[in-house]
Amino acid sequence: MSPRPALLEQIGSDVVQFQDASAEFDATVGKVLALGRADLACLTQIHFGGPTPLGAVAREADVARLELAGYVQREAAGGGQRLVLTSHAREWIDTLWGPLQADGHQLMAGLPEEHLRIVAGFLKAARAIQDRHATRVARLLQEPGTSRAARQRGGLSPAALRRVQLYVEAHLAEPIRVGALAQRSGLSVFHFTRAFRQSTGMTPHVWVQQRRVERARDLLSNSSLPLGDIALAVGFSSQSHFTTVFHKLTGLTPAVIRRDQR
């Protein structure tokens, strides 16, 4: 391996390890302060941003929890309220984060200004990439076919439904048991089956068969695989079973679809 690819691989590995170490540090700080991740983010925002309007920080319940813990307090500001850190919180911040911040400043002090500019530019660009992909991943939580009303009536959450769908897509060539799908939703088989039907309008078994048939149609149109091989590739035990289910769901046979594509 040439020096550049090896260096890039090392940087990627170091970034991951740095992120893991940062997450572990924050988790430990959270245990010391008896606070969750969102609470720590709130304290960080106030610490670096100064007194912060009440509505711009967190929900009322989160603010009340931080007040009870003695970390924030309210003060009047321009007809409204804002949050400030208490001396108790500042002492903890100095104790927990202060040494880490000092070591970071010392590390950066040894770099020439031109190197600091490169680091600053890299971090800005990396943050933009991370934000873009965070948005992409967040879209997986919003499944278009899952209405809010359906979820309120007992359907799966968008995240749970998406986990199930992704699992099915990755295992279409294999036997797919309802128990495995239920496990990915965090529900019992009984409750999962009911919730899945509420969300999709069909049972898990029927939905999986539809996905198998849709994948088969794609293979029939875009490959030269024999029908028997396609049947196995999408999880049917035999070509005859494949043909039966395919005809039931589409009104056509796989052979007709293949013929029409030629």
Side-chain angles (χ1 to χ4, degrees), residues 9 12 20 39 43 55 64 68 96 107 133 156 185 207 241 262:
E9 183 176 336
D20 290 343
D39 298 324
L43 290 184
L68 287 174
L96 298 171
L107 177 64
H133 285 283
L156 295 173
S185 73
W207 190 84
H241 184 211
R262 293 177 176 174

Side-chain angles (χ1 to χ4, degrees), residues 47-197:
H47 175 63
F48 288 104
T52 306
L54 181 61
V57 180
R59 298 175 302 174
E60 182 67 26
D62 298 328
V63 171
R65 185 170 59 254
L66 290 170
E67 286 181 304
L68 287 174
Y71 296 129
V72 302
Q73 60 189 25
R74 307 180 193 217
E75 63 178 26
Q81 290 185 320
R82 63 184 185 180
L83 291 177
V84 297
L85 296 180
T86 64
S87 58
H88 176 63
R90 294 188 182 282
E91 289 175 1
W92 271 116
I93 288 173
D94 289 341
T95 298
L96 298 171
W97 281 285
L100 177 63
Q101 187 176 37
D103 285 348
H105 286 165
Q106 183 177 0
L107 177 64
M108 301 298 282
L111 295 177
E113 184 175 341
E114 61 180 298
H115 290 182
L116 291 176
R117 293 185 185 278
I118 293 174
V119 171
F122 173 81
L123 291 176
K124 182 177 180 180
R127 175 62 186 273
I129 291 173
Q130 189 175 53
D131 288 344
R132 185 171 73 250
H133 285 283
T135 300
R136 174 183 60 81
V137 173
R139 291 195 194 102
L140 297 178
L141 299 176
Q142 303 300 323
E143 181 60 30
T146 307
S147 69
R148 183 181 183 89
R151 297 197 302 274
Q152 289 176 339
R153 293 194 301 268
L156 295 173
S157 70
L161 181 58
R162 190 60 177 167
R163 287 196 299 272
V164 170
Q165 291 171 328
L166 290 174
Y167 177 84
V168 170
E169 294 300 322
H171 295 83
L172 277 180
E174 309 164 17
I176 297 176
R177 303 188 183 282
V178 176
L181 303 183
Q183 184 178 13
R184 276 146 188 84
S185 73
L187 300 174
S188 68
V189 171
F190 174 76
H191 288 98
F192 165 73
T193 302
R194 292 183 59 186
F196 187 91
R197 186 163 191 167

Side-chain angles (χ1 to χ4, degrees), residues 26 29 33 35-49 52 56-58 66 85 97:
D26 288 344
V29 167
L33 299 179
L35 295 177
R37 186 185 181 108
D39 298 324
L40 290 177
C42 181
L43 290 184
T44 300
Q45 180 179 347
I46 300 173
H47 175 63
F48 288 104
T52 306
V57 180
L66 290 170
L85 296 180
W97 281 285

